[in-house]
Amino acid sequence: MAANFSGSLTQDSDEIKEMYCEECDRHGDGYATAVAFCVDCVDYICVTCQRYHKRQFKTHKIQDSNSMPQDFYFEKCSTHPGQLVKFFCSECSKEACKECKDNEHVNCSDVSHLPTVASDIQKSDELRNFSKNMDQLSKNIKDTEKLLDAKCEVIKKQEENATYACKEQSNKLISTYKQHHQDLIDNFDKKMEDTIAKLKKERSELVQMLSEKGRKFEEKVGKAESNMKEEVVKTNTDFKKVKSEHLYLVGNLKALTVDLEQAQKLGKNCELFIKLKLVKQMCKQIQVTTNQIQHSYIQQYKLNISDIPPKVKSLENQTRFFSLDKVHASAEERKITFNCDINHEFASITSLLVLSEHTLLALSYKRCSLVIFRLEKSKAEYIKETKFNISPWGIAKVSDNKIAVTFPYEEKIRLITFSEEMEVLDTTEIPGHGRCFGIAYSNNHLVVSYRYTGSLEILSMSGKIVKLFDKDDNDQNRSTFPHYLTVSPDNTMIYVSDCGRYSVTCLNFDGMLKSIYKDDQLKFPHQLAVDEYGSVYVCGRDSNNVHQLSCDLTKVKILDKSHGIDTPTSIAYCQNTKRLFVGMNESSKIKVFSVSLE
């Protein structure tokens, strides 16, 4: 759409009170005031053109100057500069001139006259609701600023602590080194009593040599300290850029708000209508970026300081005085606090799945059913139960409205599609290749585990075997009872809980073993879940706990009876709300925890 009004049409004024004749303008007859409007042609016409129009189109409906549309919109079409924008297509959400309407929108069913469709925009729910949303967005950005300030304070504290530790260690290194030199000099001085004349020159040379070595050593330690300081500062450089990104968003939001308010004040409904559509699209992007900023991650690290060797030669030969070990986000201990309990009456829940931040699914093995809960901020309520003819076991999310469920004693997998109201729309069966228990979805494939063969399969969505992992390098079964499995957030790793070996195994999608987790405090492991950082949570049914593991299966934290955990068998994680759901075999409750980085 053109951004500048035509000088001949606007008469160098933004306050246009009259419309010109479009027929005269098209034929180059100059400017003429419009006194009528043809409803059929959707054209404004002058007195002269009205007489000819009535003769030529006797059936057309003509509105006089009192009844014709008065909300004039003078923007020219960007595709057809000679045409005014007079229509709006609700299907495409685009404005259009007459040529655009007849060509580009010929198949659209809802193309309306722009002044007509925009006549009630000032009082519309769309404008009013959008204004409220703008207020909420502004509040979210202000809250984000506070969150950023707090995180920046944490970074500053980290930098100060690391810098102080570097300086302390540098002083110790240099002091120790100087003491070594002084000891050598003192020992030499003792010998000087007998050989002072002979040794004066040697002493002088020794002092000079040690001085030069000391200078070089101080330079080496100082350089190591300087490099370490730079590395500490660079560690969270990307996060620090977030602050400037936030300020840029605030400026954009203010500019958009001013444009919208100005259009409202001028009372130009057509311009307001178009700006509203544009601003709504831009605000969606601002909200997405704001959410990303709110969940930005501070890199944690540990400063390692080398031991000071007892001998000067070893100290001189030392090449590394400091090192910085970055801690992977999955290895950081989470702050896990109780949120609420979900009470239910469904015995033996084998698996949980968060379908969306508002929907939790549970499989009841004994009742042969799928149970659906609606999730709110601090509570949940039962919605409905879908019955099966045989007990289900594992569950995986395929899309926002589709899941995959294993039925080990039918040796089948069912793909179930839901409506928005969580009614079952369609069920498709995929044959398993034995007693299939664990299941996960990854890159349009299903990963399935089989209890009695201890094998894993990667299947196409039609059930065709793409890959089979059954034996390890020693020709032994990979697992004994692989009841559950899940995949990493980046779809590169498969995690399997083995009830027979009391272990959790990590392998890649080529079947290569990456790591194994075994611990005396993990007994009879059941369902697993992963969060957005790659942390793995596994239920220990008989050990009455939940283990938090890093992505390489290193133990990070254990939730036990002190957290209300008792015989946990099922677990699920919601990335949007940062909540962990734990179902227990001996309880009619699902525990809900809030999870955050320490």
Side-chain angles (χ1 to χ4, degrees):
M1 183 176 70
N4 298 320
F5 294 136
S6 169
S8 61
L9 301 182
T10 63
Q11 301 175 352
D12 296 324
S13 172
D14 289 335
E15 300 297 329
I16 295 178
K17 302 298 183 182
E18 61 182 17
M19 183 62 182
Y20 63 89
C21 176
E22 296 180 76
E23 191 68 25
C24 290
D25 183 58
R26 277 195 292 269
H27 295 287
D29 293 333
Y31 179 87
T33 301
V35 299
F37 178 78
C38 177
V39 176
D40 298 277
C41 297
V42 198
D43 276 343
Y44 289 93
I45 52 180
C46 64
V47 174
T48 303
C49 291
Q50 181 181 8
R51 290 199 299 271
Y52 287 106
H53 202 85
K54 285 184 176 180
R55 292 176 190 171
Q56 189 174 359
F57 305 103
K58 295 180 180 181
T59 61
H60 282 202
K61 181 179 178 181
I62 305 297
Q63 295 177 337
D64 60 18
S65 59
N66 293 325
S67 59
M68 71 182 186
Q70 298 298 316
D71 189 1
F72 308 132
Y73 189 58
F74 293 97
E75 290 292 327
K76 290 297 186 73
C77 178
S78 59
T79 306
H80 310 96
Q83 294 282 339
L84 281 177
V85 173
K86 297 195 293 182
F87 303 94
F88 185 81
C89 176
S90 295
E91 287 188 29
C92 303
S93 193
K94 289 177 62 178
E95 62 270 32
C97 68
K98 190 173 187 306
E99 286 191 37
C100 290
K101 175 179 179 292
D102 295 337
N103 296 320
E104 298 177 11
H105 301 279
V106 64
N107 295 320
C108 297
S109 61
D110 191 4
V111 183
S112 306
H113 186 220
L114 181 57
T116 302
V117 73
S119 61
D120 293 328
I121 186 64
Q122 290 281 5
K123 299 179 180 180
S124 67
D125 289 340
E126 182 180 12
L127 178 61
R128 183 167 51 256
N129 291 336
F130 182 72
S131 296
K132 293 180 180 179
N133 291 338
M134 289 284 283
D135 292 339
Q136 183 59 43
L137 181 58
S138 297
K139 182 179 181 300
N140 288 345
I141 289 181
K142 289 180 180 178
D143 292 342
T144 302
E145 183 175 4
K146 295 179 180 178
L147 181 61
L148 283 172
D149 290 339
K151 289 187 176 181
C152 287
E153 188 63 29
V154 174
I155 291 174
K156 180 181 177 182
K157 190 65 176 178
Q158 275 193 325
E159 291 177 359
E160 290 176 352
N161 291 341
T163 300
Y164 179 79
C166 282
K167 188 61 181 177
E168 285 289 304
Q169 180 65 3
S170 295
N171 292 337
K172 289 180 181 178
L173 288 166
I174 294 171
S175 176
T176 302
Y177 188 80
K178 287 183 177 180
Q179 185 60 48
H180 284 313
H181 283 183
Q182 188 60 48
D183 291 343
L184 289 173
I185 294 171
D186 291 342
N187 290 334
F188 191 83
D189 284 343
K190 291 180 181 180
K191 299 177 183 179
M192 286 180 61
E193 293 179 3
D194 299 329
T195 57
I196 190 166
K198 180 182 177 181
L199 296 178
K200 267 188 176 181
K201 185 178 180 180
E202 288 185 35
R203 182 184 182 282
S204 177
E205 292 174 351
L206 178 62
V207 170
Q208 184 177 0
M209 178 192 68
L210 293 177
S211 177
E212 179 64 17
K213 285 186 176 182
R215 183 188 63 78
K216 292 180 179 179
F217 184 77
E218 288 186 26
E219 287 181 355
K220 184 166 64 172
V221 173
K223 185 176 180 180
E225 179 185 355
S226 177
N227 291 339
M228 183 52 57
K229 288 179 181 178
E230 288 181 10
E231 188 173 353
V232 166
V233 172
K234 289 179 180 178
T235 300
N236 280 296
T237 298
D238 291 338
F239 176 82
K240 294 174 184 177
K241 294 177 182 177
V242 169
K243 187 74 174 179
S244 60
E245 292 177 6
H246 175 261
L247 293 176
Y248 175 75
L249 287 179
V250 172
N252 266 2
L253 182 62
K254 288 181 179 178
L256 293 174
T257 304
V258 169
D259 284 348
L260 200 62
E261 291 175 350
Q262 186 66 21
Q264 285 181 266
K265 290 178 181 178
L266 292 176
K268 295 180 179 181
N269 291 345
C270 294
E271 185 175 343
L272 176 61
F273 181 84
I274 298 301
K275 283 187 179 295
L276 177 60
K277 299 296 182 182
L278 174 64
V279 172
K280 285 178 68 177
Q281 292 176 359
M282 296 183 72
C283 283
K284 287 181 181 178
Q285 182 58 43
I286 289 177
Q287 184 61 63
V288 170
T289 306
T290 299
N291 289 338
Q292 292 172 347
I293 290 175
Q294 288 176 336
H295 296 106
S296 54
Y297 169 68
I298 297 177
Q299 176 66 58
Q300 302 293 320
Y301 54 84
K302 178 183 178 182
L303 182 67
N304 293 322
I305 298 174
S306 302
D307 293 333
I308 300 176
K311 295 184 179 181
V312 66
K313 194 66 177 177
S314 299
L315 198 56
E316 287 177 343
N317 294 333
Q318 190 168 342
T319 59
R320 192 175 186 182
F321 304 103
F322 314 97
S323 64
L324 200 66
D325 291 340
K326 294 182 180 179
V327 181
H328 192 276
S330 66
E332 292 185 40
E333 184 171 336
R334 301 298 191 267
K335 181 180 180 181
I336 300 179
T337 55
F338 175 75
N339 184 276
C340 65
D341 282 327
I342 301 175
N343 297 309
H344 63 85
E345 300 177 356
F346 306 98
S348 186
I349 291 182
T350 59
S351 296
L352 292 174
L353 172 68
V354 175
L355 190 61
S356 71
E357 67 179 90
H358 300 298
T359 307
L360 176 69
L361 306 182
L363 293 180
S364 175
Y365 182 80
K366 290 184 178 179
R367 290 173 66 103
C368 301
S369 66
L370 169 69
V371 185
I372 303 172
F373 298 91
R374 178 184 289 110
L375 301 176
E376 302 296 339
K377 188 172 183 180
S378 59
K379 64 179 182 178
E381 61 180 5
Y382 161 75
I383 299 178
K384 62 185 65 177
E385 179 181 15
T386 298
K387 287 284 191 177
F388 303 115
N389 57 1
I390 197 167
S391 296
W393 186 269
I395 187 171
K397 177 179 178 179
V398 177
S399 66
D400 288 341
N401 68 332
K402 181 182 286 190
I403 61 173
V405 179
T406 59
F407 294 82
Y409 298 103
E410 269 189 335
E411 298 187 356
K412 289 180 180 179
I413 301 166
R414 294 182 188 174
L415 299 177
I416 303 172
T417 305
F418 298 98
S419 66
E420 290 185 2
E421 295 75 28
M422 294 306 296
E423 297 289 343
V424 176
L425 294 178
D426 180 61
T427 301
T428 303
E429 288 190 352
I430 298 174
H433 304 97
R435 297 281 177 88
C436 46
F437 279 76
I439 189 167
Y441 175 80
S442 175
N443 294 328
N444 204 33
H445 289 82
L446 296 174
V447 186
V448 182
S449 65
Y450 295 87
R451 171 176 176 173
Y452 295 105
T453 61
S455 61
L456 272 72
E457 291 179 348
I458 299 179
L459 307 177
S460 68
M461 296 306 291
S462 61
K464 181 181 178 181
I465 298 177
V466 178
K467 291 182 180 179
L468 170 65
F469 310 137
D470 55 352
K471 303 291 184 181
D472 59 20
D473 294 340
N474 298 319
D475 201 33
Q476 300 294 319
N477 285 349
R478 285 190 175 275
S479 305
T480 53
F481 300 116
H483 278 172
Y484 296 92
L485 57 83
T486 189
V487 297
S488 61
D490 59 1
N491 293 296
T492 60
M493 297 295 166
I494 304 170
Y495 298 100
V496 184
S497 65
D498 189 337
C499 300
R501 295 176 179 170
Y502 287 7
S503 66
V504 179
T505 303
C506 173
L507 60 152
N508 64 19
F509 275 73
D510 290 325
M512 182 181 297
L513 179 67
K514 306 301 288 185
S515 53
I516 297 177
Y517 177 71
K518 287 180 69 70
D519 191 272
D520 293 338
Q521 293 179 281
L522 179 66
K523 297 179 180 179
F524 219 76
H526 270 57
Q527 192 177 13
L528 312 100
V530 295
D531 64 18
E532 66 272 23
Y533 298 111
S535 293
V536 181
Y537 303 87
V538 58
C539 294
R541 191 195 71 177
D542 290 359
S543 51
N544 298 309
N545 52 29
V546 173
H547 290 233
Q548 180 201 338
L549 312 176
S550 66
C551 59
D552 60 358
L553 299 186
T554 301
K555 181 166 65 175
V556 179
K557 186 173 185 175
I558 295 179
L559 302 181
D560 53 25
K561 287 190 174 183
S562 66
H563 299 85
I565 304 296
D566 186 20
T567 63
T569 54
S570 52
I571 192 167
Y573 178 80
C574 180
Q575 180 174 333
N576 290 343
T577 61
K578 304 292 185 294
R579 292 196 291 178
L580 190 69
F581 302 82
V582 182
M584 291 164 287
N585 194 49
E586 303 293 338
S587 172
S588 60
K589 291 181 179 180
I590 297 174
K591 308 292 289 186
V592 185
F593 300 91
S594 296
V595 181
S596 62
L597 287 172
E598 289 283 13

